[in-house]
Amino acid sequence: MEDAPDVGMDAVQRRLMFEDECILVDENDRVVGHDTKYNCHLMEKIERENLLHRAFSVFLFNSKYELLLQQRSGTKVTFPLVWTNTCCSHPLYRESELIEEDVLGVRNAAQRKLLDELGIPAEDVPVDQFTPLGRMLYKAPSDGKWGEHELDYLLFTVRDVRINPNPDEVADVKYVNQDQLKELLRKTDAGEEGLKLSPWFRLVVDNFLFKWWDHLEKGTLKEAVDMKTIHKLL
């Protein structure tokens, strides 16, 4: 390892950075290996070795079709205090999260992280209730040192859930309807209230979200599914 563990890094984040092994993939989403979360998010390594890892983004809606947003904790190594979709993380290099069939490994990881980050019990978010809608590939620096280079699975679910956010992961949560999200986007673009959105959430918003949300409300979400294409949003 080239860098000593960061002195300023929160103890919980440091443990996750070195214990969690992300799944390395090529640009066609074929598994090519694994590496620590730390190495997968070092911008220098991403650029030098073209490290690309598998990720997921959950969009959880309540029965009124309002989307649950979270603000990332201030102790997060990448993108602290930015607002983003319900839950964003990585399937890990372990048997239960490597299952390719029906995207089950990614759905298992999503259920795990909804509990870790938001305290949502597994029984509130059954894995068979996640609809994988698509995949996107993107790269985004966080600051000079850290960043993301991810092949991201985009998952929708509609559930009324119990929430008990983990302060190590989440600073705040809120539900928004389409108009409220559009107002949040307007404020972000205008630089109001210091609001920032995660780059992956912004890519989903700009390319897919409102169209998919309309399908969700109309009951035609299956028409929006495209798991064959990998959208390269670089």
Side-chain angles (χ1 to χ4, degrees):
M1 182 165 309
E2 292 157 7
D3 277 298
D6 293 46
V7 178
M9 199 187 290
D10 173 79
V12 172
Q13 297 299 327
R14 185 181 299 130
R15 179 174 58 76
L16 294 173
M17 276 287 188
F18 291 105
E19 288 182 10
D20 284 357
E21 292 270 324
C22 294
I23 300 167
L24 296 178
V25 292
D26 65 16
E27 293 202 350
N28 297 307
D29 200 18
R30 286 189 291 254
V31 176
V32 295
H34 52 98
D35 207 338
T36 62
K37 191 173 164 190
Y38 185 93
N39 283 341
C40 287
H41 291 84
L42 275 177
M43 211 61 213
E44 180 194 352
K45 272 188 102 62
I46 289 170
E47 296 291 7
R48 190 173 68 232
E49 299 174 30
N50 199 31
L51 288 188
L52 174 66
H53 62 276
R54 196 174 277 169
F56 63 83
S57 293
V58 174
F59 294 76
L60 184 148
F61 299 82
N62 62 19
S63 53
K64 295 188 287 189
Y65 300 118
E66 295 169 326
L67 173 61
L68 180 61
L69 302 183
Q70 69 152 282
Q71 184 183 32
R72 290 162 67 86
S73 158
T75 61
K76 296 288 273 187
V77 175
T78 55
F79 305 101
L81 295 176
V82 304
W83 283 91
T84 192
N85 51 286
T86 314
C87 178
C88 333
S89 192
H90 320 96
L92 299 179
Y93 194 79
R94 55 172 69 160
E95 194 174 352
S96 62
E97 298 184 11
L98 280 160
I99 302 166
E100 303 272 349
E101 191 177 349
D102 297 328
V103 195
L104 183 57
V106 172
R107 290 187 287 126
N108 284 335
Q111 185 189 58
R112 170 179 60 82
K113 283 307 287 185
L114 285 165
L115 177 61
D116 284 357
E117 293 191 1
L118 293 157
I120 298 173
E123 61 265 26
D124 285 10
V125 280
V127 290
D128 63 358
Q129 295 298 303
F130 292 108
T131 301
L133 280 156
R135 293 176 291 173
M136 70 175 187
L137 195 163
Y138 77 94
K139 186 188 286 186
S142 173
D143 57 24
K145 179 168 186 173
W146 303 102
E148 294 285 8
H149 189 208
E150 294 187 332
L151 205 151
D152 195 9
Y153 284 70
L154 308 174
L155 309 176
F156 268 35
T157 189
V158 182
R159 308 287 297 173
D160 288 320
V161 297
R162 294 163 284 176
I163 304 173
N164 180 24
N166 173 358
D168 285 321
E169 297 283 347
V170 177
D172 199 2
V173 293
K174 64 178 164 192
Y175 281 99
V176 293
N177 61 29
Q178 291 205 31
D179 288 339
Q180 288 164 330
L181 180 56
K182 285 171 182 166
E183 176 61 9
L184 181 65
L185 295 170
R186 186 198 64 74
K187 284 182 175 175
T188 304
D189 290 344
E192 292 176 21
E193 299 172 26
L195 288 167
K196 290 187 176 151
L197 299 183
S198 75
W200 60 89
F201 180 46
R202 191 65 199 243
L203 284 170
V204 177
V205 167
D206 290 347
N207 289 279
F208 313 111
L209 182 60
F210 291 110
K211 177 179 63 184
W212 288 351
W213 203 333
D214 288 341
H215 273 295
L216 187 68
E217 294 188 15
K218 283 191 266 191
T220 55
L221 192 61
K222 291 276 187 285
E223 292 175 21
V225 173
D226 173 11
M227 290 305 293
K228 290 194 174 71
T229 311
I230 296 172
H231 298 276
K232 295 185 177 172
L233 303 178
L234 300 165

